[in-house]
Amino acid sequence: MSAFDLLKKQNAAVEKIPVALIHPNPFQPRRNFSEEELHRLEQSIAENGLIQPISVRKKEKEYEIIAGERRLRACAALGMEKISAVVYEISDKDAAVWAMVENLQRSDLGVFEEAEGIEKLVTLWNTDREEAARRLGMAPSTLSNKLRLLKLPGEARKIITENGLSERHARELLRLSSSKEQIKAAEHIAKKGFNVAETERYITSLCTAKKKAQKPVYIVKDVRVFINTFERAIGIMKNSGINAVSTMTESEDNIIYTVSIPKNSAFQKQRRTKPIKTAPAYSACAPSVI
């Protein structure tokens, strides 16, 4: 039986409970409460009274909120000593689920508050993401995208939250490979006041620049390929009867590979009667390996 079904069956009555005895739900996903919204709620309660009671459950001699923390805060700010509340008998798990589901269904929940709430629900329900998405009424891909936001470092999350950036801004930052890059980009985006389209172009430019900056690294194995090529060429000449000789030396800056071909041997094979005037030794220098 779900928490909602249990609450419907209990038919609990409204009670007046001292505000001082009511404590927040530790599973409340909301961390930030808008001062402006709380002020408007205070004004409404001052003029019209508390129209909808809050929901609580008994915790030893005191109470814990199930739903209605903003209403409780507003009443406390108005100096009210007691508040109307419905007291339910509900388990820790069900209270946590109800508190998070109620807040996740509100449009003003913060980007990371929502993601953290979903993550906790997946754990509390002891289910996979697909089933959690079904219970929350969202596509599995949407749920996965929201949970991916939690990969961003805390400093980047703080910048996004404090500057009122959207979930799409945050998702763009995930395209960068390191936390350092993500934080630096978040600072730049916030400073420039980029919208989503501008943020997308900016992140694309960073990714493109990084790709162009990557240069091939030559290792010892690459040089050996060229040396093996020389050796195969020497082998072919020797098999053809040309007594070619090769030597390899190293200096501080170079690997020097020298090939010497005897004139008489070469001319005899080519069936030439006269030698060419010049037949210098062939020398090839390969770049040194650092």
Side-chain angles (χ1 to χ4, degrees), residues 152-163:
L152 289 173
E155 192 171 342
R157 293 194 213 178
K158 183 179 179 181
I159 294 168
I160 291 169
T161 301
E162 291 181 348
N163 289 275

Side-chain angles (χ1 to χ4, degrees), residues 273-286:
T273 58
K274 295 181 180 181
I276 298 175
K277 291 183 178 180
T278 58
Y282 175 75
S283 177
C285 292

Side-chain angles (χ1 to χ4, degrees), residues 149-218:
L149 299 177
L150 298 179
K151 294 181 179 180
L152 289 173
E155 192 171 342
R157 293 194 213 178
K158 183 179 179 181
I159 294 168
I160 291 169
T161 301
E162 291 181 348
N163 289 275
L165 300 179
S166 69
E167 179 179 331
R168 292 180 63 189
H169 283 94
R171 284 211 305 268
E172 284 297 316
L173 291 176
L174 289 171
R175 294 169 57 191
L176 300 174
S177 58
S178 72
S179 296
K180 185 177 180 180
E181 291 173 319
Q182 290 166 346
I183 293 169
K184 187 176 179 179
E187 290 173 342
H188 184 76
I189 291 166
K191 183 178 179 180
K192 295 293 185 180
F194 285 166
N195 59 30
V196 174
E198 291 169 331
T199 297
E200 183 179 356
R201 288 194 293 270
Y202 171 61
I203 297 298
T204 297
S205 70
L206 292 179
C207 294
T208 302
K210 185 176 181 180
K211 188 174 182 180
K212 287 182 178 179
Q214 293 176 342
K215 296 181 179 179
V217 178
Y218 295 98

